[in-house]
Amino acid sequence: MKKFLALILSAVMAAGCFTACSAPAESTSEDVNSESEIVETVEGIDINIAGMSGPTSMGLVGMLDKSAKGETVNNYNFTLAGAADEITPKLVKGELDIAAVPANLASVLYNNTEGKIQILAINNLGVLYVVEQGETIKSFADLKGKTIYSTGKGTTPEYALNYLLTQNGVDPAADVTIEWKSEATEIVAVLKQNPDAIAVLPQPFVTAAQAQVEGLNVALSFNDEWNALGNGSSLVTGVIVARKAFVEENPAQVAAFLDEFKASTEFINTNVEEGAVLVENLIGVKAGVAKKAIPNCNIKFFEGEEMKAAVSGYLQTLYDQNPKATGGKMPADDFYYAR
């Protein structure tokens, strides 16, 4: 545990009055007083943090690298997971303090735990894409009658896909067949075997798949299609959440985390090549793939009111579509952490 010691400087100077024995002389006195200056600092703690092997964790790599070098306030113990359901039980049990998860899952956790989970920041906007080996899909309306392969059942990919299909006149239950896979690598295998397959993939798996499947094109960007609807909301893919009890017990350390995470997102967006190497070392995505994918991963940092506006607008669109998507109800104001 790293400590930044408080620096206390104090000085007291006094000049006494001196008198001559022979004749009265002018006396002078000077008191120089300086208050003790106390520089308030943060005592770092160990923080257990988790993320998935995709874009939701990519913004963390700069911070994690600095932590390993002892250059952060807190010490971050990172767990990499293949899916969100590996993270949520540990978060609820208190084995994790902070986690990067899909935005709607954060709301579900908040409702299921009666408010014991808070959202600290947004870390990703839209990172989902429709891909195909051809150029037949120009809009979500063109997906009618098709089979779509996707990951993320019960989280952002499912609800965002259903919403965009519905807004384009396609009934997700009747007009398309959605084949759910547990991991993106399974979808890449399908694309290799079936040249007619259509899939939904997040970055950086789109870039990885294009390196393995000849002629694989990005047909649609979820982010672009969502924005084109002009519904006043944003497609929020990933958020950073924490246990409310942890936040209340460690406000200064949480503030330090937010500062360090913000710097980490800025680092990877402005130092793509160096960031890509860290992505390979810490997340397992090849540096060459990460370098191409990072500009399309919409790695962001929003907190406070800006975060609340974006997330609440997104969750409302999901709730209007299916209340189960947000855990049965919209989260209350205490869901949104503000420092």
Side-chain angles (χ1 to χ4, degrees), residues 57-80:
S57 294
M58 292 172 76
L60 296 166
V61 297
M63 183 186 73
L64 296 175
D65 180 59
K66 284 182 175 293
S67 177
K69 296 174 180 176
E71 298 174 358
T72 52
V73 173
N74 300 301
N75 179 53
Y76 300 107
N77 302 313
F78 181 64
T79 298
L80 183 66

Side-chain angles (χ1 to χ4, degrees), residues 229-277:
L229 295 174
N231 59 16
S233 70
S234 299
L235 175 54
V236 182
T237 299
V239 296
I240 302 293
V241 298
R243 292 185 293 108
K244 187 175 183 179
F246 174 79
V247 174
E248 291 175 343
E249 292 166 4
N250 305 282
Q253 289 77 14
V254 169
F257 161 77
L258 288 171
D259 289 340
E260 291 172 342
F261 175 58
K262 180 181 181 181
S264 186
T265 61
E266 293 170 350
F267 160 78
I268 198 167
N269 283 320
T270 56
N271 299 273
V272 174
E273 190 164 348
E274 186 179 353
V277 174

